[in-house]
Structure formats: structure tokens, C-alpha cells
Amino acid sequence: MNTASTPDEEPRWLTDEEQRTWRAYMHAVTLLEDHLDRQLQRDAGMPHVYYGLLARLSETAGARLRMTELAMQAKITRSRLSHAIARLEKNGWVRREDCPSDKRGQFAVLTDQGREVLRRTAPGHAGAVRQALFDRISDEQRKTLHDVMEIVAEGLQPTDANADLPWLR
């Protein structure tokens, strides 16, 4: 669904309430991401996105995923993923393996050292998320936040083959 205005249409400006909500959302998301990045840099010397990649790998069978699948799960471009994996490889936390069934495909594999960094870092990360978000809202607000974010994500992740999604770039 394209909601952008055509040149002949009047733009659909945000109402005052929508503008306040949008700015509150952007303010909170920016501060939350900064809070989590600082915690992870302090505790493990990595940004939040790298932690997310390690966590995703740790949750899979064999602690490995095809690079294309990992990019899709992380909602990042393939080039950003490639750069991140290169940094994680340099730290010894991940290694790449060629895919035997696809000469161009590769797997990202969590190493024992990466698993250990994740094990040491996860409690502090969970605490930072809890302190910054879940300790501040009620169970009802948490459920509402979950429902709203699922609706937003669903609307931004079309299923057609020509969708312009980060992991397809």
C-alpha cells in the first residue's frame, strides 16, 4: 500500500497528536538504542547490532545460519551484515563456512569464543533492556506495545518478490 502523496494531491500531514506520538516514539527509540549500545560497548566492546547477530546464531541448530537468512532475521543489508561478520570474525566470535550446496552461499557460525562472550554479556544486556523498558511499563502496556509493533512490522514487510527490504539489497 503506497500512502505517499502524488504531485497533484495535498499531503496528509500528521495531526498534532500524531506528531507528538511520532516524536515521542523517535525520542524513545533513539535513547533506547543508545542506552543498549553503550551497555554492550562497555561490557563486551561491541555494538547492539553485533550482539543481536551473535544471539540469533546462538538460537539456531548448530549455531549457524546462511548469511542471507541472518541478514533477513537481523533486518539489515547484506553489505552491512558482511561488514559486521568480518568484525566478529576478527574478534574470533564468528567464522564463515562455504555452503556445500551453493558455491556462492556462506554460513555464519558462532565459535566457542563467541558463545562465551554472549554468555558473559547476556545477563547485563537483559538487565539493561528490563531497566530501560519493561520495568517502566505495565503488563497491559507491554502487550499493547507488542501488538502495535507487530502490526507496524507486518505492514513494512511485504511478501511480494519485488519488495524493497534491507536484506534483499
Side-chain angles (χ1 to χ4, degrees):
M1 169 167 78
N2 184 1
T3 58
S5 299
T6 63
D8 297 336
E9 288 181 32
E10 184 66 26
R12 289 186 59 214
W13 299 112
L14 300 179
T15 66
D16 289 346
E17 181 60 29
E18 289 168 337
Q19 188 68 257
R20 282 192 300 277
T21 302
W22 173 246
R23 288 185 178 165
Y25 167 81
M26 289 303 299
H27 188 81
V29 166
T30 301
L31 289 172
L32 180 60
E33 191 62 34
D34 179 69
H35 176 74
L36 297 177
D37 265 339
R38 284 183 293 116
Q39 177 267 319
L40 287 163
Q41 285 291 351
R42 182 184 62 245
D43 292 357
M46 76 174 97
H48 190 216
V49 70
Y50 291 13
Y51 177 87
L53 295 171
L54 295 177
R56 281 179 177 79
L57 289 171
S58 76
E59 296 164 353
T60 63
R64 61 187 291 153
L65 273 173
R66 293 266 317 235
M67 292 282 284
T68 52
E69 177 68 20
L70 186 55
M72 185 182 78
Q73 287 188 20
K75 310 295 186 245
I76 60 176
T77 63
R78 291 179 285 195
S79 65
R80 185 171 183 202
L81 175 66
S82 185
H83 176 74
I85 293 297
R87 294 284 306 274
L88 293 170
E89 279 182 301
K90 186 177 177 185
N91 290 341
W93 300 341
V94 170
R95 71 174 181 275
R96 292 184 214 219
E97 292 179 356
D98 291 331
C99 178
S101 63
D102 177 2
K103 297 279 189 225
R104 295 184 310 163
Q106 286 190 319
F107 288 95
V109 182
L110 185 66
T111 65
D112 289 342
Q113 190 177 353
R115 192 181 308 278
E116 177 58 23
V117 159
L118 197 56
R119 185 194 65 72
R120 285 193 325 264
T121 307
H125 179 64
V129 170
R130 180 168 300 290
Q131 178 269 330
L133 181 63
F134 295 113
D135 287 351
R136 299 174 184 272
I137 63 177
S138 68
D139 288 345
E140 183 179 329
Q141 289 169 321
R142 180 193 40 77
K143 182 182 178 338
T144 299
L145 178 63
H146 172 267
D147 294 347
V148 168
M149 291 298 102
E150 275 199 339
I151 290 166
V152 170
E154 184 179 300
L156 292 172
Q157 190 168 312
T159 56
D160 63 77
N162 297 325
D164 183 19
L165 298 167
W167 55 93
L168 299 176
R169 290 185 224 135

